[in-house]
Structure formats: structure tokens, C-alpha cells
Amino acid sequence: RRVLGVDETPTSLYSPYEEYTRARAIIQMQLLMGEVFSLQNRFNQKHKSMLGRKKAEIIKIAERNQRISQIITDLESNEEVFSPALVTSEIPERILEVKDEEITVEKYLSPEERKKVEEARLEAERRRREQEDDAVERGLKAMMDGKLEREDVVVVKILKPEFSETKPQEEWSDEEIKIYKEYELKLRKKLEEDEKKKKQLEAELKNIKKENTDTAQAYDVSMADLLAVKLDTDQKIYELELRIIKLAQYILQREEAETKEIKLQALLEETTHKSAKSTQQVVEYRRELDAKNEQHQSYIADEKTTDKKFRQAFQEAEEYIEVLLKLLKKKKKKKKKKY
């Protein structure tokens, strides 16, 4: 035997030159099928791991998206948020799920059932809000290295002095001019702070988006690597399955050849028996033929002797001798027919 390593998992297999018996061919088929199952199982484990990683990455991106949505709201922007999700083909069990919107007939609920449904809905809504708050907090903690200090955002509104809208600027007093200058200074500071805050939010938004993009790209690279592994695994599986098919063909051809050999052997024995029987019959026929030939030669000799004696006996009636011979021969033929 030789040892064939597939992905660092050695399996004992016969060499192709050792697959010359039916038993070894069958054993080799079983071993090759085991190799196929092993390859499929190892790839399925890798795929399962990648699917689990995707779910984890989706959760992380969703937590970041909570902060992104908050920043977009603060910036009063209409940007779309990148929100990856699992597709139906990645969750086969969804095929067996029946969603409420797929049911066209309205379900009858008793008053007690309706009350329970409403209570369950309110409880689910409360839990969803709590989870959203927790998700936001986790996302902020992650972005701030686990140090989250809640800050109450106080919107400071700087009101324009009332006199600036009711009195012309020429009629303002020194005190009013001073108040208006202070208003302009506060307004300028407020605009500068708002602009600074806006830039901070835009920078934070850019960083969070980059994290999401990097996460997605890293996963795509891993998926490309997994695709290469799948193609390599498929190639190995196809090679093993081809060997299994060839072994099955070999076994079938061997069985057909053995069956044909048995039939030909039986035909040979039957033909040999018939040949021996025919040879014996030929010998018997030759003996019978020789006996008949001897009998015929004896008959011819008797015929000649009788003819000679008959001619001698009727020498005086020579003109009638031919007629008498014909009558004699005719009489002999009648006697033979009787016997």
C-alpha cells in the first residue's frame, strides 16, 4: 500500500498497479469514497466558519451604523448607509419559514388572544428599544476604546437683540452697540464651534465608513481565498470520483468477461461432446458402409455367377436367353421387395 496525503490527512490507499483483483477494487472504491467525504467535510467546516465570521462582521457593522445614522442626522445629510445582510441562499432553513405577509387569509383571534398578542408586541417593542440603546452604547464604547462618557447635548440658541429689528442702527445707544457687538462675537464663536463640530463629525463618519469598508474588503479577500480552496477541492473530488467510476467499470467489465468465459467454456464442452459423439457415429457409419460394400460386391459376384450359369444352362435357346435373363432379374427384384 501507499499513503496518499490530502490536506495533511493521510489515508491508506492501494497503488493503481495493485487494483488487479475484484476485492481490492471494491476496497479501493470505499477508501476513495471516504476521501471524497473527508474533503467535503473539511471544506464545509471552512465554509461554516466563514459564515459565522460574516454574521459577526455584520453585527459589528450594524453597531457602527448606529453611530453613522446618528452622525448623518446631526449633519442633516441624506447619505445611504452600507448595511450588509445574509442572503437567502446562505440560510437554507429560511425556505421552510412562512412569513406573516405570505398568509393572505386573516387569522381569527379571540379577545383573549388579541390581548396576549398586543402585550407581546409592546414587550417586543420595549426590548427592541433597549437593544438599540445598548447597541449604540457598545458602538460608542468600541470607538472610544471602551471609555464612554455620556454627554448631554445642550443646544444653545443665540437670540438676536430685539432692538436690532425695531430700531435703525443710527439710533442705537452706546449700550445697545456694545450688546450687538457681543451678540456678533457670540454668533461668530458659535459658528466656529459648529463648523469645528461638523468637521469632527465628518472625520468620525469617514473613519467609521473606512472601518466598515476595510471589514467588507477583508472578508471579500477571505471569500476569494475560500473560492480558490473550493475549486481545488472540487478538482480533487472530481479526480477521486473519476477513479471510482473507472474501478466500477473495471469490476463490471471483469464480471461480464467472467460470465462470457463461463458461457464459452460450457459451449466448448458441449461442442467437444458433440464432436466426440459425431466421430463415434462416423466410425459406426463407416463400418456399416464397409459391410454394405462387401454385401454389394458379393451380390455382384453372385449375379455374375448366376448369369454365367444361366447362359450355360440355356445355350440351346440362345435367341431367348436375353428375355429369360430379364425375367430372372425381375423375379429377383420382386423377392427383394418382399424381404
Side-chain angles (χ1 to χ4, degrees):
R1 290 188 176 186
R2 67 188 179 90
V3 176
L4 175 65
V6 181
D7 290 347
E8 299 180 356
T9 304
T11 305
S12 296
L13 293 173
Y14 285 113
S15 167
Y17 301 103
E18 297 176 332
E19 302 166 352
Y20 49 81
T21 65
R22 183 176 182 276
R24 287 191 175 187
I26 293 174
I27 294 172
Q28 185 79 322
M29 288 175 63
Q30 297 299 322
L31 293 174
L32 290 173
M33 283 190 285
E35 281 296 320
V36 171
F37 294 148
S38 179
L39 285 170
Q40 290 174 339
N41 184 58
R42 285 197 291 276
F43 176 77
N44 288 340
Q45 292 298 325
K46 293 178 181 178
H47 180 269
K48 186 177 180 181
S49 176
M50 284 298 295
L51 184 60
R53 176 182 168 184
K54 183 174 182 179
K55 292 178 180 179
E57 299 294 358
I58 287 174
I59 293 174
K60 291 179 181 179
I61 291 175
E63 291 176 353
R64 297 190 195 110
N65 285 345
Q66 294 288 341
R67 178 56 180 164
I68 289 176
S69 299
Q70 184 180 355
I71 294 174
I72 289 175
T73 302
D74 294 341
L75 295 175
E76 297 180 355
S77 175
N78 294 323
E79 294 184 32
E80 293 185 359
V81 180
F82 170 63
S83 300
L86 295 174
V87 296
T88 304
S89 59
E90 293 175 314
I91 312 176
E93 56 269 18
R94 282 188 179 176
I95 297 176
L96 303 177
E97 293 181 1
V98 180
K99 298 179 180 179
D100 293 338
E101 55 267 23
E102 295 177 349
I103 302 175
T104 57
V105 180
E106 184 179 358
K107 182 180 179 180
Y108 171 76
L109 297 175
S110 63
E112 294 79 6
E113 289 176 336
R114 291 180 181 178
K115 184 177 179 182
K116 291 180 179 179
V117 169
E118 182 64 19
E119 291 176 353
R121 187 187 67 80
L122 294 175
E123 180 65 20
E125 181 68 18
R126 183 184 65 80
R127 290 181 179 177
R128 185 184 65 80
R129 290 176 181 173
E130 290 179 354
Q131 290 176 355
E132 287 180 353
D133 294 339
D134 292 341
V136 173
E137 186 173 349
R138 287 196 305 270
L140 292 174
K141 282 183 177 180
M143 289 183 288
M144 299 179 69
D145 297 329
K147 298 177 182 179
L148 176 62
E149 295 180 358
R150 297 188 60 89
E151 297 181 357
D152 296 329
V153 179
V154 180
V155 179
V156 179
K157 196 170 185 180
I158 301 176
L159 299 177
K160 192 175 184 180
E162 187 177 350
F163 63 84
S164 63
E165 297 178 357
T166 58
K167 292 172 61 176
Q169 189 173 358
E170 294 81 8
E171 297 179 3
W172 290 356
S173 63
D174 294 339
E175 185 64 26
E176 287 174 341
I177 292 173
K178 183 180 179 182
I179 292 173
Y180 191 79
K181 287 182 177 180
E182 290 177 355
Y183 160 73
E184 288 181 337
L185 181 61
K186 290 179 180 179
L187 182 61
R188 188 164 51 253
K189 288 182 178 180
K190 177 68 167 58
L191 292 175
E192 291 175 355
E193 290 176 357
D194 289 345
E195 185 64 23
K196 183 179 179 182
K197 182 67 174 177
K198 181 180 179 181
K199 289 182 179 179
Q200 290 177 348
L201 291 175
E202 288 176 347
E204 183 182 354
L205 179 61
K206 183 179 179 180
N207 291 333
I208 298 175
K209 284 185 174 181
K210 186 176 183 303
E211 289 182 13
N212 287 347
T213 302
D214 292 343
T215 299
Q217 290 178 348
Y219 182 79
D220 290 342
V221 171
S222 299
M223 280 299 296
D225 295 338
L226 183 63
L227 176 60
V229 173
K230 183 182 185 303
L231 295 176
D232 183 63
T233 302
D234 286 343
Q235 178 183 349
K236 292 177 180 178
I237 289 174
Y238 294 151
E239 290 175 356
L240 294 173
E241 288 179 343
L242 180 60
R243 291 182 62 184
I244 293 172
I245 292 172
K246 290 298 182 182
L247 286 171
Q249 289 177 341
Y250 163 72
I251 293 173
L252 180 61
Q253 292 171 356
R254 186 185 180 96
E255 290 177 351
E256 291 177 350
E258 290 175 353
T259 302
K260 188 175 182 179
E261 182 182 358
I262 292 172
K263 290 181 179 179
L264 290 174
Q265 186 67 30
L267 180 61
L268 177 61
E269 292 177 358
E270 182 182 358
T271 305
T272 303
H273 177 71
K274 288 182 178 180
S275 176
K277 186 177 180 181
S278 299
T279 302
Q280 182 65 27
Q281 289 177 346
V282 168
V283 171
E284 292 177 358
Y285 290 155
R286 285 189 181 279
R287 289 176 182 174
E288 185 177 353
L289 178 62
D290 292 341
K292 293 292 183 181
N293 285 333
E294 290 178 0
Q295 185 179 359
H296 180 66
Q297 294 298 328
S298 177
Y299 174 76
I300 292 174
D302 291 344
E303 188 75 19
K304 288 180 179 180
T305 302
T306 303
D307 187 21
K308 185 177 180 180
K309 290 181 178 180
F310 191 81
R311 287 180 182 276
Q312 290 176 357
F314 291 95
Q315 288 181 356
E316 297 177 357
E318 188 175 355
E319 64 274 14
Y320 301 107
I321 194 159
E322 295 296 331
V323 176
L324 292 172
L325 283 172
K326 289 181 179 179
L327 291 173
L328 179 63
K329 290 179 179 179
K330 188 174 181 181
K331 185 177 180 181
K332 286 182 177 181
K333 286 181 178 179
K334 286 183 179 180
K335 287 184 177 179
K336 287 181 178 180
K337 286 182 180 179
K338 287 182 180 179
Y339 291 108

